[in-house]
């Protein structure tokens, strides 16, 4: 099965945030303290071997060989599952030991990594200002005025619909507003075409958090302001309305009752890909081409489409959750690592990785390129399923948090999915859940 993007139980490009490890790392590093110091590294950039550790198989050997021939830098690629990778990054940084020359910088850890000073600022090595226009999600990797990592793929939350189910029920397959979308789902349920038309992953996992973030954006608001203050605790707030809408969808039978224990990847694979539901409001960009249109893993090939995410009065912006790569402070060869990152994230190289220039150059399982120009190339050549819809979504995508992911994000996300899950089970009200999440944000933001 091809890799698909998911925020829980990931074995492909990414995985769930390990709150305990991250919290431990904060304590060990003294919330910054010596984390800004480094052992230094060699300035050599030729005749050296660098270690690149990411949660994926390596790019094509021919591509890496070409990089070595061009630069004199040999790459030792290490594939580590996302959860274990975060553990190793934290352990190496706190112990001030070498782990890798280049490794993962997840969007959700940018604030934490920036505060701890575990990674070199990438603007010291690359012209990050010139990248901004062609890499819309670069903003998600900036913390304290420094670029912690460079996004090497583009992931953002999208809405997917099974157009066959919508049309069979006589429902609008491209609703523009939340109200129209909800009405369409109710019409599908009433028609009997799909007993439970909506997929929401209510398992207490990261995927539930990101689903709520995207839904909050669709309702016209933000989760945290630029100072990390909660914006969702009152009934008239977008976050509160989003949580109420999600819980009500489960209680009124729009969502399968079994989804209370379904994670995002499970919902994609066993519900959306099998035609058991008609829509996922917060899905991941790329899933149509990498999962729903793959006959070996799907029974709905050609039926699932991306639509503009419905908002309050019209389509809403899509929120980003991309992968990045950066240079740990304990790297042996930071300048050589920077040359690799420059090559690895280059627009032309990403076009090769995405299969624009033939299957021999493709990076198996590679998601959408982070460069807008590379995505446009894919779309022009017909190599990106739904590219005509995805390109403007990528162009207008926004970070989940206005001020970047806070350093205490892992604990915050844990509070989000734990309390939303509890509200879905009925063990607490939505009001109580929002208050608990808000209180957690206030406590974490104050340092208590």
């Amino acid at each position: 099965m091809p890799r698909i993007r998911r925020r829980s139980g990931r074995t492909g490009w990414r995985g769930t945030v390990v709150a305990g490890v991250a919290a431990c790392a904060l304590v060990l590093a003294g919330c910054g303290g010596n984390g800004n110091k480094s052992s230094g590294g060699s300035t050599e950039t030729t005749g050296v071997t660098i270690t690149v550790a990411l949660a994926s198989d390596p790019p094509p050997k021919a591509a890496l060989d070409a990089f070595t021939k061009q630069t004199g830098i040999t790459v030792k690629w290490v594939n580590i599952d996302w959860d274990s990778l975060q553990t190793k990054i934290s352990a190496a940084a706190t112990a001030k030991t070498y782990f890798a020359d280049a490794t993962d910088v997840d969007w959700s850890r940018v604030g934490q990594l920036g505060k701890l000073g575990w990674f070199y600022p990438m603007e010291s090595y690359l012209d990050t200002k010139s990248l901004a226009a062609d890499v819309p999600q670069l903003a998600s990797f900036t913390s304290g005025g420094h670029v912690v990592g460079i996004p090497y793929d583009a992931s953002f939350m999208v809405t997917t619909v099974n157009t066959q189910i919508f049309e069979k029920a006589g429902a609008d397959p491209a609703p523009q507003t939340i109200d129209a979308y909800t009405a369409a789902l109710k019409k599908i349920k009433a028609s009997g075409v799909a007993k439970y038309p909506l997929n929401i992953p209510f398992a207490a996992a990261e995927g539930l958090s990101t689903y709520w973030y995207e839904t909050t954006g669709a309702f016209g608001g933000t989760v945290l302001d630029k100072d990390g203050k909660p914006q969702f605790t009152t009934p008239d707030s977008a976050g509160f309305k989003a949580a109420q809408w999600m819980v009500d969808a489960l209680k009124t039978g729009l969502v399968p009752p079994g989804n209370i224990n379904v994670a995002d990847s499970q919902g994609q694979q066993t519900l959306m890909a099998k035609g058991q539901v008609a829509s996922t409001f917060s899905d991941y960009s790329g899933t149509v081409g990498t999962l729903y249109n793959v006959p070996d893993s799907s029974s709905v090939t050609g039926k699932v489409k991306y639509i503009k995410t419905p908002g309050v009065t019209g389509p809403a912006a899509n929120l980003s959750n991309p992968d990045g790569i950066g240079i740990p402070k304990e790297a042996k060869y930071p300048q050589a690592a920077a040359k690799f990152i420059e090559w690895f994230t280059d627009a032309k190289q990403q076009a090769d990785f995405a299969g624009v220039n033939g299957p021999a150059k493709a990076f198996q399982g590679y998601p959408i390129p982070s460069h807008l120009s590379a995505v446009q190339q894919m779309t022009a050549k017909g190599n990106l399923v739904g590219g005509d819809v995805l390109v403007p979504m990528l162009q207008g995508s926004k970070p989940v948090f206005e001020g970047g992911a806070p350093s205490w994000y892992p604990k915050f996300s844990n509070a989000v999915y734990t309390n939303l899950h509890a509200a879905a089970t009925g063990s607490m009200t939505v009001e109580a859940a929002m208050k608990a999440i808000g209180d957690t944000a206030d406590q974490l933001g104050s340092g208590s």
Side-chain angles (χ1 to χ4, degrees), residues 5 7 10 14-19 22 26 82-83 86 104-114 137 139-143 148 157 206 209-210 213 224 320-324 399-401 404-414:
R5 306 191 63 80
R7 291 294 304 170
R10 264 187 178 164
R14 302 166 65 180
T16 186
V17 174
V18 187
L26 276 169
W82 196 92
D83 291 329
Q86 305 313 309
D104 179 79
V105 175
D106 187 82
W107 74 270
S108 66
R109 300 196 73 201
V110 169
Q112 182 186 61
L113 295 175
Q137 297 177 328
S140 295
F141 290 86
T142 302
S143 175
V148 182
M157 298 165 229
E206 181 74 9
S209 297
T210 53
Y213 303 153
L224 303 173
S320 304
N321 62 345
D323 296 282
V400 172
F401 303 112
S407 59
W408 34 266
Y409 175 78
K411 283 188 175 182
F412 174 72
S413 178
N414 181 275

Side-chain angles (χ1 to χ4, degrees), residues 13 50-58 75-82 84-86 88-89 98-105 119 152 324-328 337 340-341 344:
W13 284 86
I50 63 170
T51 295
V52 177
L54 292 175
S56 77
D57 293 327
V75 177
K76 177 185 177 183
W77 189 278
V78 181
N79 178 3
I80 306 174
D81 72 88
W82 196 92
S84 298
L85 182 57
Q86 305 313 309
K88 289 180 180 293
I89 291 170
Y98 171 74
F99 163 60
D101 297 287
T103 191
D104 179 79
V105 175
F119 281 66
Y152 63 87
I325 183 170
I327 307 170
F340 171 80
I341 292 173
F344 187 60

